[in-house]
Amino acid sequence: MSSSSRKIDACLLVLALGLASCTRPADIAAHDDADLSAAAGAGVVEADAPEGPGVVPPATVPHAASALAPLATGFDGFGPVAFGAGPQALREAWPGTLEGEPDASDPDACYYLVPQPRPAQGYGTGFMIEGGRFVRVDVDQAGAMAPGGGRIGMAASEIATLYPGQVEELPHKYVEGASYLRVTPDSGPSVLVFELDAQDIVQRWRVGLPPQVDYVEGCG
């Protein structure tokens, strides 16, 4: 084969490869372009900022990190709301809707604020209000962690391990063989109560101030 023929074949090969790269499927091309852009930007990503007067881009909203922090139940209260606070503090702290109102004829009577929508079974979380004060949290959702690490589904022995020397076992008021495990922390006025079934498995828990935390029927 002559040198001129080899040059022609090489040119044809380059041309074929060029046409193939121009006809990449759109999704692969986009993926490759995105990889190149990421490499060029050294990992810096710019998001479109909202426009308009008075609009603050999400990344610069004051206290955005703290606002996104999970609201956890503790021995002192719920998130930033301490036991003893008024119900309005709970409404302001909760990211959604809390349903519940005091009895118009007796504003100091016990009632609950319950997040909406409720789960398919149970109530999820309930905030007890009595005497115009936040006094207790009731929980029957399995994913929620009690102060100190207790959870629904744990055995009595696990609760005893988590709260050594702080657990008092009491018989259940209605279910034969079931019980309550009453946890009194070393400091503070609050008490944590786990309700167990006859197989010694936690079904629900509550934490709050005495005497309300020991109301077996809640506000009933």
Side-chain angles (χ1 to χ4, degrees):
M1 180 180 294
S2 67
S3 61
S4 60
S5 297
R6 286 196 297 270
K7 290 180 180 180
I8 292 174
D9 290 343
C11 290
L12 290 175
L13 177 61
V14 170
L15 179 60
L17 291 173
L19 290 174
S21 64
C22 292
T23 56
R24 291 179 299 168
D27 57 339
I28 296 177
H31 178 74
D32 291 345
D33 292 342
D35 288 347
L36 291 174
S37 298
V44 177
V45 179
E46 292 186 7
D48 292 335
E51 297 180 354
V55 176
V56 182
T60 61
V61 174
H63 312 301
S66 61
L68 295 174
L71 296 174
T73 302
F75 280 107
D76 295 329
F78 178 78
V81 186
F83 291 124
Q88 185 58 33
L90 283 169
R91 293 187 185 277
E92 292 173 357
W94 187 259
T97 300
L98 293 178
E99 184 180 89
E101 296 293 340
D103 187 339
S105 63
D106 186 3
D108 288 336
C110 178
Y111 70 97
Y112 277 94
L113 292 176
V114 181
Q116 302 298 312
R118 296 190 184 192
Q121 295 182 340
Y123 51 82
T125 302
F127 303 104
M128 180 186 283
I129 311 295
E130 188 173 64
R133 300 184 307 134
F134 167 44
V135 293
R136 166 173 151 175
V137 181
D138 292 62
V139 176
D140 73 350
Q141 54 186 358
M145 181 183 294
R151 290 178 181 271
I152 291 171
M154 282 187 170
S157 58
E158 294 177 283
I159 299 299
T161 300
L162 286 173
Y163 309 91
Q166 299 175 330
V167 180
E168 176 187 7
E169 184 175 0
L170 302 170
H172 200 283
K173 186 175 180 179
Y174 298 108
V175 181
E176 184 176 357
S179 62
Y180 306 104
L181 297 182
R182 193 176 190 271
V183 178
T184 304
D186 295 330
S187 61
S190 300
V191 172
L192 172 62
V193 178
F194 293 97
E195 185 174 347
L196 282 64
D197 61 14
Q199 286 71 48
D200 288 337
I201 301 299
V202 176
Q203 301 300 305
R204 58 189 61 84
W205 56 267
R206 58 185 185 266
V207 61
L209 302 174
Q212 291 90 352
V213 71
D214 293 311
Y215 294 172
V216 174
E217 294 85 4
C219 285

